[in-house]
Amino acid sequence: MQQLIEVIVKPLVDYPDEVKIITDENDNRIVYKLSVHPSDIGKVIGKQGRVAKAIRTIVYSAAGSHHHKKTYIDILD
């Protein structure tokens, strides 16, 4: 799942080397914490959160068939 997020996010940003994903897994959920360069946060979120929503939709649909846990993506400042 981390690779999927990286494949989606890296082409969107100006600093692809600074894309970092931390995985926090519990018994019933997985949280992917996405960190990017401060100037790239707006590109990852998009106007009115449309890009972030699209990323979450893709990851949630892929994770739904892959994991039996609730999946979340947090975009960190």
Side-chain angles (χ1 to χ4, degrees):
M1 218 37 71
Q2 276 185 299
Q3 291 176 342
L4 175 63
I5 297 169
E6 287 179 3
V7 167
I8 295 169
V9 173
K10 282 188 176 184
L12 297 174
V13 297
D14 290 333
Y15 301 96
D17 294 337
E18 294 197 29
V19 173
K20 294 181 179 69
I21 301 166
I22 301 168
T23 305
D24 183 20
E25 188 168 350
N26 293 337
D27 292 335
N28 57 351
R29 69 181 182 147
I30 301 171
V31 179
Y32 295 101
K33 298 178 181 180
L34 174 63
S35 174
V36 296
H37 189 273
S39 67
D40 289 331
I41 291 175
K43 293 177 183 176
V44 173
I45 295 173
K47 287 186 180 179
Q48 298 179 352
R50 289 182 183 150
V51 175
K53 184 177 178 182
I55 293 169
R56 288 183 173 120
T57 300
I58 293 168
V59 172
Y60 294 166
S61 63
S65 62
H66 189 261
H67 299 292
H68 297 290
K69 298 180 179 183
K70 198 76 166 152
T71 305
Y72 300 95
I73 297 178
D74 289 340
I75 300 170
L76 305 176
D77 303 356

